Amino acid sequence: MAAERFSGKHATLPILANILLEQEGALLRVTATNLESAIQITVPGAGSQTERLTVPVKIASSLIQSMNDENVELQGKQGNLHIKTSTRESRINGMPADDFPLMPKIKKTSAFSVSAPNIRAGFERVLPACSTSEFRPELGGVYVQVTPHALYFAATDTFRLAEKTILYEKKGVDESFSFILPFRIAQEMGRVLDGDGGVRVTIGDNQALFEMEDVHVLARTIEGAFPEYRAIIPKQFETSCFVKKNELTAGIKASSIFASKLQDVSLSIQDKKIHLNAANQEVGEHKSMLGCSLTGKDVSVSFNYRYLFDGIQLVDEEELFMGFNGENGPCLIRNKEDVSFLYVLMPIRLG
């Protein structure tokens, strides 16, 4: 249940562990919040009553997920929720609906519209590059830059950077603005904004509101300035190559078994071949070789294999591009044809 992931635990507000159920005729609205974010889902059904109550979300979610019946009857009686199917009947004790926090109204400063598949792609492509450190909160989310021509999604943990560009399907906005959405909320966008419909995004007062026909998500944005990251994206390369994604993926997986505590794997690119090498005194050593098309100088460079693997997995074409500028310069990874996504990875300096 999506609402469960937006609920929260609070010592002085135990009702945050509940969901608010509001029936208005044949529609049922489900609301959950942890005060930092909130979700409201509208579910069509059958009925004519008007009812409001709250119940613990974990109990309701576990019970409903255990039911295989297509038809589930929900009924509020004296503040409690009665759930009935053809073979089961349960009662979940509720709490007063008036104690549940209201979903805040956002003070609009800017807004834009985008299709659900595009906004999902934007967040999902860059999420792996988000920082997990608490020392720089502005890196703990996805940076979204809105311009009159395109949307830019970016994330970085200072070791790698991911950027996805989304061109507008229709007319864009008249102004440029940006915001940073927390990692957890950006992750939820891929789960709750399903389907192919449009998404209306409203920004204002350090908040972001995502609205589809049946789903509304409100979240507090991260304060702070995201780094001017475009300066580190290399535009020219001393060495460049094209390589098949599945072959490089298999090579890195094998090499990772022998990686040292630095999680390093070395790439030596020469004679139209990529030589992969990893060594660990306790485990042993592994070498493999795969073909590539090479332009420019030979180069040898070492990477954190987890970060390298993440970047390769985010590419969705059979063949990918890798650009290098020496053993200490940033490496750029992208699709061979579709340049709307890029991944920049800093090498490991050994010795």
Side-chain angles (χ1 to χ4, degrees), residues 172-186:
V173 297
D174 296 326
E175 58 178 343
S176 296
F177 55 94
S178 63
F179 60 96
I180 306 174
L181 197 67
F183 173 88
R184 191 182 68 82
I185 302 302

Side-chain angles (χ1 to χ4, degrees), residues 261-308:
K261 292 181 180 179
L262 293 176
Q263 298 185 339
D264 59 300
V265 58
S266 297
L267 284 72
S268 179
I269 305 172
Q270 56 187 358
D271 300 326
K272 296 186 178 181
K273 295 286 191 299
I274 296 179
H275 301 266
L276 296 169
N277 179 60
N280 186 321
Q281 291 182 350
E282 298 178 359
V283 179
E285 184 177 7
H286 175 81
K287 295 181 179 181
S288 61
M289 181 178 66
L290 52 143
C292 71
S293 60
L294 172 64
T295 303
K297 302 177 181 179
D298 296 347
V299 65
S300 294
V301 61
S302 297
F303 295 108
N304 178 304
Y305 77 83
R306 294 183 185 274
Y307 294 170
L308 179 59

Side-chain angles (χ1 to χ4, degrees), residues 170-322:
K170 300 179 181 179
K171 182 181 181 297
V173 297
D174 296 326
E175 58 178 343
S176 296
F177 55 94
S178 63
F179 60 96
I180 306 174
L181 197 67
F183 173 88
R184 191 182 68 82
I185 302 302
Q187 190 177 48
E188 286 298 329
M189 293 299 101
R191 298 170 176 167
V192 301
L193 299 180
D194 57 0
D196 299 322
V199 181
R200 178 71 173 173
V201 185
T202 305
I203 307 299
D205 197 23
N206 293 322
Q207 292 177 312
L209 175 64
F210 299 81
E211 297 176 284
M212 288 189 70
E213 184 177 359
D214 300 325
V215 179
H216 293 184
V217 175
L218 178 69
R220 186 172 296 279
T221 55
I222 296 176
E223 298 184 49
F226 198 78
E228 295 290 341
Y229 66 89
R230 289 192 175 92
I232 71 167
I233 300 175
K235 305 297 189 296
Q236 296 179 329
F237 306 96
E238 295 177 0
T239 308
S240 60
C241 67
F242 293 99
V243 59
K244 292 191 180 299
K245 174 183 174 179
N246 60 347
E247 293 181 2
L248 185 56
T249 298
I252 293 172
K253 281 184 176 180
S255 299
S256 69
I257 300 170
F258 296 84
S260 71
K261 292 181 180 179
L262 293 176
Q263 298 185 339
D264 59 300
V265 58
S266 297
L267 284 72
S268 179
I269 305 172
Q270 56 187 358
D271 300 326
K272 296 186 178 181
K273 295 286 191 299
I274 296 179
H275 301 266
L276 296 169
N277 179 60
N280 186 321
Q281 291 182 350
E282 298 178 359
V283 179
E285 184 177 7
H286 175 81
K287 295 181 179 181
S288 61
M289 181 178 66
L290 52 143
C292 71
S293 60
L294 172 64
T295 303
K297 302 177 181 179
D298 296 347
V299 65
S300 294
V301 61
S302 297
F303 295 108
N304 178 304
Y305 77 83
R306 294 183 185 274
Y307 294 170
L308 179 59
F309 187 81
D310 283 347
I312 293 169
Q313 292 306 108
L314 291 168
V315 171
D316 52 14
E317 293 180 3
E318 293 182 0
E319 198 167 1
L320 60 86
F321 169 87
M322 300 183 75

